[in-house]
Amino acid sequence: DAVSGVETDAGQNCPLHQSHKITTYCEECQEILCQQCLSTSDHAQHKQHLLAVAQAAKIKRKTVEGLQSGLLSDDGILTEALTKVTTAIKSLHDRAESVSD
């Protein structure tokens, strides 16, 4: 996917126009582009959504870091919930054993 390759594709040749370097990222289409792509495609209509590849990579990196931080936070909440559920199951199991005795 183009988004995951934004940073590594900077300066690489365009897959559609091999003699042109990738310079731009279209947020609208989520595609990496060269100057030829910009002049021959619908991306010209997306001018407000065009970013330099380095700028797009920086934005995407921040987004990924934010999502990663959220996942780590959720992991702590899930671990705590799992501990509570495990404790409740053990308690129910102990009660069931005491009733059956």
Side-chain angles (χ1 to χ4, degrees):
D1 139 306
V3 173
S4 62
V6 162
E7 186 173 24
T8 58
D9 287 336
Q12 298 290 324
N13 288 345
C14 176
L16 298 175
H17 308 102
Q18 294 294 321
S19 63
H20 292 80
K21 299 285 185 193
I22 292 168
T23 59
T24 307
Y25 177 74
C26 179
E27 289 183 304
E28 179 78 18
C29 301
Q30 297 188 2
E31 292 181 4
I32 48 178
L33 312 165
C34 70
Q35 292 302 317
Q36 186 70 29
C37 290
L38 289 171
S39 65
T40 61
S41 69
D42 295 332
H43 300 289
Q45 299 172 14
H46 303 155
K47 286 186 182 183
Q48 67 275 14
H49 300 283
L50 299 176
L51 301 171
V53 172
Q55 182 183 9
K58 188 175 183 179
I59 291 168
K60 296 298 180 184
R61 185 179 302 109
K62 285 183 181 182
T63 299
V64 169
E65 287 170 354
L67 292 170
Q68 186 178 30
S69 176
L71 287 173
L72 292 174
S73 173
D74 289 347
D75 183 47
I77 293 167
L78 292 173
T79 301
E80 183 180 335
L82 180 60
T83 300
K84 288 179 181 179
V85 168
T86 303
T87 301
I89 290 171
K90 184 180 180 323
S91 176
L92 288 171
H93 186 272
D94 290 348
R95 284 186 185 170
E97 281 185 2
S98 68
V99 168
S100 67
D101 288 341

